[in-house]
Amino acid sequence: MCSVVPGYSPGFKRPPETLRLKRKRPRRRRSSSGEDPQDSPLASSASASAKGCLLSPRPYPGSGRRNPFLAAGKAPAGRPGAGRDPPGGGPSGQFLNVLQEDRSQKEDYSEIPAVESLDPPSVATSNTDVPSFPSYEFPADWSIKTRLLFTSSQSFAWADHIKAQEESQGYVQHCRATFINLPQSIQEPKLSTELRCAFQQSLVYWLHPFLPWLHLFPRIGADRKMAGKNNLLSCDEALQQILMSEWSLSFTSLYNLLRAKLCPYFYVCTYQFTVLFRAAGLAGSDVITALISPTTRGLREAMKNEGIEFYMPFQEIRKRKSNAFTSHTELGFANDSERTGKDAENEEEQQIGGGNDEDDDDDEGLLWLEEMGVQDKIKKPDTISIQLYPFRGAARSKCGLSNKERNEVQMDHKPESVVLVKGTNTFTLLNFLMNCKSLVASAGPQAGLPPTLLSPVAFRGATMQMLKARSINIKAQVHSHYKDAFSLEIVGPIMPHSLHSLSMLLQSAQNGSFSAVCYTHEPTAVFNMGISHEQNIQKESLGKDLCNCGLHPNTLNQLALCPTLGKSSIRILEASDYIYTWKV
């Protein structure tokens, strides 16, 4: 039987494609010809059987009962011919129409293939599907990527099986900061030694500390991945002190390289927040800058106590908007602006999460204690630490939180809590971080582990590491047929210079056409926000001061521009004929 009928499955669990097509053609023919679905044999038999059952309501002489099968909002009409319903207009006809529509929708959905394409899930969950304007260069992305997936119509076989001599040459080129300018198009990438050496050079990064049995990036949210692994540091305080002293030396070495403009930037990754230090001349700033995200009110208060001057860019934007609103009020729109201000305040309080019910419950609890006469005997807890929502009326005054303090508490652990430190305050921040006890977890899987230092150049105590790369040949479905496609996967802490270097290599190797899906470490996406209003920087001084920082000149020019991505990061990067488009 299985050999006679093609596509036969025992028990008729999977209908063959021929039955689906035959079942679908009459429906299309009826819709195209404009015939009434009630004229079909199935509909006529069903309507005939429905008239004798509960689908058609029985007439009740003299009763004012409403027909439940009529459309909403229509009054029940007289029933001169209650036993006959017009085609498609009576209760049974409407009920069958709904049944046929649901049945047709289910059949249409069942015939859609389960997998339309081989695109990763991040493509569908991107913030926007509108690509940017085509450009010969894409903006700098200061976030750390955890994975890159390049796809192209040409093979990536040139990236496999790097020879020992090519691997050594790539290490030497990285350590000596020598770069090879590749041609615009390489005819035989697999035979190009320069391409393979440059590819090996672009995969190098420097890490401290290095513990082979632990993955030290990412650190935020990594407790679940580290759980169950043997952490030798949690029970040995002497070992923890040795590691922290070595980490302090490495941290100081990195900052000195940054101040001397021999290191363009580096990251400090803790289990709670990430810090990005950038040299003067990058990201549109002529001084050293440091971005910290996410932060808490306690961390910001500790920085204030140490005399560190910092800015909160999102708070500055909010202040400018409020100043503009005040000036609008002074121009003569007092009534409208007051109403708008009240609406904005109500909306802000609703977004933060304050509610009248919660406040009433707190007031009732306090009044109950006063009635019992034991309000003085019970120690009241610190409301700031246990209640993070705003209060109204008497409860707000009891809590003692001002509007500014409530806003600061609500932005904790969010991208809006990013902090910017400039100039000489970054050196004070260096000393603060080295002496901060909360920088290292005291319990949990990351107990005793110093923060991870990531840098594109070598520094004291650093370990050279390589991004993992592999090429895969896949079959991508295009409409009704499959097409050969090739992919190159890069895994690891991918810093901004690596993304740009790899894109330049692929332009030469893939004839200027490829696409990339970028997986971003989300806590670092906010590093793409603009930090300076200066539009122009002296390129002459930039090339003179940062020429020895170890980056390719083209990459350096890209990182010197002001960030334009805001809180977002590049999710999809496409190159066609050497022109870039991207989606965030």
Side-chain angles (χ1 to χ4, degrees), residues 250-312:
S250 299
F251 190 17
T252 306
S253 171
L254 259 179
Y255 184 82
N256 292 335
L257 290 172
L258 187 79
R259 188 169 55 179
K261 297 187 178 180
L262 297 177
C263 174
Y265 64 91
F266 66 91
Y267 294 88
V268 182
C269 306
T270 72
Y271 75 105
Q272 287 184 324
F273 56 86
T274 306
V275 188
L276 169 61
F277 284 86
R278 287 185 289 212
L282 296 184
S285 177
D286 56 352
V287 296
I288 299 177
T289 58
L291 286 170
I292 310 174
S293 177
T295 62
T296 60
R297 187 182 178 216
L299 178 63
R300 295 189 293 268
E301 291 294 334
M303 293 173 60
K304 289 180 181 179
N305 295 335
E306 292 294 329
I308 301 175
E309 296 182 2
F310 60 87
Y311 308 92
M312 302 190 71

Side-chain angles (χ1 to χ4, degrees), residues 284-352:
S285 177
D286 56 352
V287 296
I288 299 177
T289 58
L291 286 170
I292 310 174
S293 177
T295 62
T296 60
R297 187 182 178 216
L299 178 63
R300 295 189 293 268
E301 291 294 334
M303 293 173 60
K304 289 180 181 179
N305 295 335
E306 292 294 329
I308 301 175
E309 296 182 2
F310 60 87
Y311 308 92
M312 302 190 71
F314 288 99
Q315 293 297 317
E316 297 295 333
I317 295 175
R318 182 177 297 181
K319 288 180 181 179
R320 287 197 295 267
K321 290 183 179 180
S322 62
N323 293 336
F325 175 78
T326 304
S327 62
H328 178 73
T329 305
E330 294 176 355
L331 290 177
F333 301 96
N335 296 331
D336 296 339
S337 60
E338 288 177 0
R339 182 169 58 254
T340 306
K342 292 179 181 179
D343 296 339
E345 183 179 358
N346 295 333
E347 291 179 0
E348 182 179 359
E349 291 180 352
Q350 292 176 1
Q351 291 177 358
I352 292 177

Side-chain angles (χ1 to χ4, degrees), residues 470-546:
R470 64 168 182 169
S471 62
I472 307 173
N473 300 336
I474 60 177
K475 292 281 188 179
Q477 184 176 358
V478 180
H479 301 292
S480 61
H481 64 281
Y482 288 89
K483 184 179 179 181
D484 292 334
F486 306 93
S487 65
L488 176 64
E489 183 184 27
I490 310 293
V491 179
I494 304 166
M495 289 181 279
H497 75 283
S498 297
L499 177 61
H500 189 267
S501 300
L502 290 171
S503 64
M504 289 192 302
L505 291 175
L506 294 181
Q507 275 197 347
S508 301
Q510 309 302 120
N511 292 330
S513 298
F514 64 90
S515 62
V517 179
C518 307
Y519 297 81
T520 305
H521 183 47
E522 290 302 329
T524 62
V526 74
F527 292 156
N528 290 319
M529 65 171 306
I531 61 174
S532 176
H533 299 288
E534 300 175 4
Q535 299 297 331
N536 297 322
I537 298 180
Q538 297 293 334
K539 291 188 177 181
E540 294 79 6
S541 61
L542 173 65
K544 181 180 179 180
D545 296 337
L546 292 175

Side-chain angles (χ1 to χ4, degrees), residues 213-248:
W213 62 92
L214 290 177
H215 294 284
L216 296 181
F217 182 83
R219 297 293 296 272
I220 300 178
D223 291 346
R224 183 176 300 178
K225 295 182 180 179
M226 291 185 179
K229 296 184 179 180
N230 188 12
N231 186 3
L232 304 177
L233 307 177
S234 58
C235 57
D236 194 340
E237 295 183 359
L239 185 58
Q240 293 180 11
Q241 293 179 0
I242 294 174
L243 285 179
M244 281 304 301
S245 62
E246 290 296 326
W247 180 85
S248 299

